[in-house]
Amino acid sequence: MDNSDNHMFSSAGRSTSRIINQKAIADIIYRRSGNVSKVLIANELKLSKPAVSANVADLIKVGLVEEIGEGEVSKNGGRKPIMLHFNHKYRYVGAFDISQKEPICAISDMSHKLLKLEKIHVDRDASPEEKRQAIAQTFKNMLDKLAIPASELGAIVISHPGIIDKDNNVRYVDARHSPWAGIGLRTYLKHEFNVSVVLENNVKLSAIGEMHENADLQDLIYISCGIGIGSGLIIKGKIYNGVNYAAGEIGSFLCSDGRRLEDIVAMDGLFSRIEQLYQKAGRKCEALNFKKVIELSNAGDKEVNCCIREIGYELGRAIYNASILLDIPNIIFGGDYLHLGDMLFDAMEETAAQSFLPFRPKIIRCGLREAAGIFGGFVIGREKIIAQLLDM
C-alpha cells in the first residue's frame, strides 16, 4: 500500500463543503474522543443530523472513527446516543528534530502520545549518505521495537533550522546552526518509507507544540535562543508565516551598533562577551562551551553572571518590542538558554516590565523543553494524515 496516497476516495464528485465538514467532524471527535455523539456534533457545527450521519459513516468506514457504545439519555428522553471515538492508532507519526546537537527521532500515535524517542548517534563530520542512513536505520529499528509495520506509518515531519518556504524547500539556513541541514533527508526518507514527509522550521514547530500543550494560549510568540535565536508566531491558533515564510526571524533584527541581534545574544556573542570581561578583569579565559558557562554561573562566577544578565537585558528588549509590535503578550521562551535559569529570566523580566503601555509581556518558560519541536511535529503529522485521508 502506498501510504503517501492513502485517500478516503477520489475527490471527484465530492463537494468542497463535504470535505470541510468531514474535517470539522473529525476535529471535534478528536478533541472530545469518547464523549461525543452525532447529535452533539450536529448542534455544534449547525449541520443536519442526516448530513452528520453520512459523514460519520464515511469516517467509520475508513477506520478513523469508531463507535464505542451508548451514552446517557438526554434530559428530553429518547434513545441513548451512540458515542464516537477517534482511532488514535489509525496511523502513526514519525518526527525528526535535526536542529539539535544530536538529532532526535520520535514516534507517536495520532493522539500525540509519545511512544518512543531516541537520539541518533552519528559523527557530525560523516558524509551526507552516512547521516541519512543512520537516521533511517534508527527509525526502522524503533518501528520494529514497537511492532509497527511501515504500512501503518502515516507521515514524517522534520524539524529543520532556517527558512522553509510554502513548497517545503529550504530557502535559507546558516550552516553553523546544524551540520544536518542540506543532506537531502526529506527526499531520502520519502523514498525509504514511501510516505509523505513534511519539512518545517524548528522554532515554528516548537511554537505549535507549546500551543497544543497550553490550549488557552491561541496567541503567542515562541522564542528559542541558543546557538542562534528565532521565534515562531501563533495568531488566533494558526502559525503566521509571512510573505516570504520568514516571519519570526528575530535573529536578523538590526541593532544600534550595526550587528544582528543573533550576533549579540546567541552563544558566540555570549562567549565573546565573557572573554572580553575576563580580559578586563585580568583573568585567564579557557576555551568556553555552553556546558562550561553553566558550570561557572552555578559556581557564582562574577564575570560570567554579569554577562548572562546583560544578555538577559538585550533579550528583554527584543521580547518587549516584538510583543508590542504584534500586541501578543504571551511569550514562551525555550531553547538551550533555558539552562541559564533565573539569572537570565530575572533580567529579561525586569527589562520587559518597563512598559510604556498599561500592559506588558508575560514570559513563560517552555514546558516541553527540548521536545517542543518533536511534539509540534506530531501535531503537523496528524493534520497531514487527516488531510490526505480526506483528499484536501
Side-chain angles (χ1 to χ4, degrees):
M1 179 175 66
D2 181 354
N3 292 342
S4 64
D5 192 32
N6 188 22
H7 304 311
M8 183 184 292
F9 30 66
S10 170
S11 60
R14 296 177 69 218
S15 68
T16 301
S17 63
R18 187 173 179 84
I19 294 172
I20 292 171
N21 287 341
Q22 287 180 345
K23 171 66 166 59
I25 290 169
D27 285 344
I28 290 176
I29 297 173
Y30 169 77
R31 293 196 314 271
R32 305 179 65 166
S33 189
N35 190 33
V36 61
S37 66
K38 286 180 260 189
V39 172
L40 188 149
I41 293 170
N43 291 337
E44 187 163 329
L45 295 180
K46 294 181 173 52
L47 295 173
S48 69
K49 291 178 183 178
V52 170
S53 294
N55 284 310
V56 167
D58 283 342
L59 298 175
I60 291 174
K61 182 178 180 181
V62 296
L64 187 65
V65 171
E66 301 169 328
E67 294 180 336
I68 59 169
E70 296 178 334
E72 297 296 323
V73 177
S74 71
K75 295 178 181 179
N76 298 323
R79 292 185 298 178
K80 292 182 178 181
I82 301 298
M83 306 309 288
L84 302 171
H85 171 74
F86 188 93
N87 181 9
H88 300 305
K89 295 182 179 180
Y90 172 76
R91 289 291 182 271
Y92 295 89
V93 177
F96 297 84
D97 189 345
I98 62 171
S99 67
Q100 307 281 345
K101 186 176 182 180
E102 287 184 299
I104 298 173
C105 177
I107 298 172
S108 81
D109 63 15
M110 289 182 66
S111 70
H112 313 150
K113 179 182 178 181
L114 176 64
L115 302 178
K116 198 164 188 61
L117 182 147
E118 290 185 11
K119 288 187 175 181
I120 300 166
H121 302 290
V122 60
D123 195 312
R124 291 163 67 87
D125 296 321
S127 69
E129 178 64 19
E130 290 172 327
K131 290 177 179 177
R132 291 194 299 264
Q133 289 178 351
I135 291 171
Q137 190 58 54
T138 298
F139 189 56
K140 287 176 181 177
N141 293 343
M142 291 170 66
L143 288 172
D144 288 344
K145 290 174 184 175
L146 292 169
I148 296 174
S151 61
E152 293 185 10
L153 183 65
I156 291 174
V157 180
I158 302 173
S159 177
H160 194 290
I163 299 172
I164 314 297
D165 67 18
K166 62 182 178 63
D167 298 316
N168 249 218
N169 297 313
V170 180
R171 288 196 62 183
Y172 170 80
V173 61
D174 190 327
R176 69 190 174 93
H177 288 174
S178 175
W180 308 97
I183 63 171
L185 184 60
R186 179 181 174 231
T187 301
Y188 186 85
L189 292 177
K190 187 174 183 179
H191 178 265
E192 282 291 304
F193 296 99
N194 192 31
V195 71
S196 292
V197 181
V198 178
L199 206 63
E200 185 54 276
N201 172 267
N202 58 309
V203 186
K204 290 180 181 178
L205 283 179
S206 294
I208 292 169
E210 279 292 322
M211 178 187 67
H212 280 263
E213 187 72 4
N214 301 276
D216 57 326
L217 297 183
Q218 294 295 294
D219 296 277
L220 65 87
I221 303 173
Y222 179 93
I223 295 178
S224 174
C225 193
I227 294 174
I229 180 171
S231 70
L233 314 177
I234 302 284
I235 299 175
K236 294 184 178 179
K238 302 290 183 182
I239 196 77
Y240 178 73
N241 290 304
V243 175
N244 296 301
Y245 277 65
E249 290 293 324
I250 62 172
S252 294
F253 277 9
L254 188 62
C255 299
S256 59
D257 61 0
R259 291 185 294 167
R260 300 178 306 167
L261 179 65
E262 182 166 294
D263 298 328
I264 295 171
V265 302
M267 280 189 195
D268 285 348
L270 174 60
F271 298 158
S272 176
R273 196 182 289 256
I274 293 171
E275 289 167 359
Q276 291 173 17
L277 211 55
Y278 266 33
Q279 287 177 358
K280 288 181 180 179
R283 295 178 60 184
K284 182 181 178 181
C285 185
E286 299 177 0
L288 290 172
N289 57 43
F290 193 58
K291 182 179 179 181
K292 183 66 176 177
V293 168
I294 294 171
E295 290 174 355
L296 291 169
S297 176
N298 291 337
D301 188 291
K302 181 180 176 181
E303 280 73 28
V304 167
N305 286 335
C306 177
C307 291
I308 290 174
R309 282 193 296 272
E310 289 176 352
I311 293 291
Y313 296 141
E314 296 283 358
L315 285 168
R317 282 188 282 273
I319 286 170
Y320 174 80
N321 290 336
S323 176
I324 294 301
L325 175 66
L326 297 169
D327 192 18
I328 297 178
N330 298 306
I331 312 294
I332 298 183
F333 190 88
D336 291 327
Y337 274 24
L338 277 174
H339 298 288
L340 295 178
D342 292 342
M343 189 72 64
L344 181 79
F345 275 83
D346 289 348
M348 288 195 298
E349 289 172 346
E350 179 185 335
T351 305
Q354 299 173 17
S355 178
F356 293 93
L357 297 175
F359 39 82
R360 65 184 189 182
K362 178 183 179 183
I363 304 174
I364 306 164
R365 303 187 197 207
C366 173
L368 293 172
R369 303 184 74 84
E370 288 84 357
I374 287 290
F375 277 89
F378 292 160
V379 174
I380 294 299
R382 176 182 62 83
E383 292 177 351
K384 181 69 174 178
I385 292 168
I386 293 175
Q388 287 180 156
L389 181 64
L390 302 182
D391 202 15
M392 296 179 74

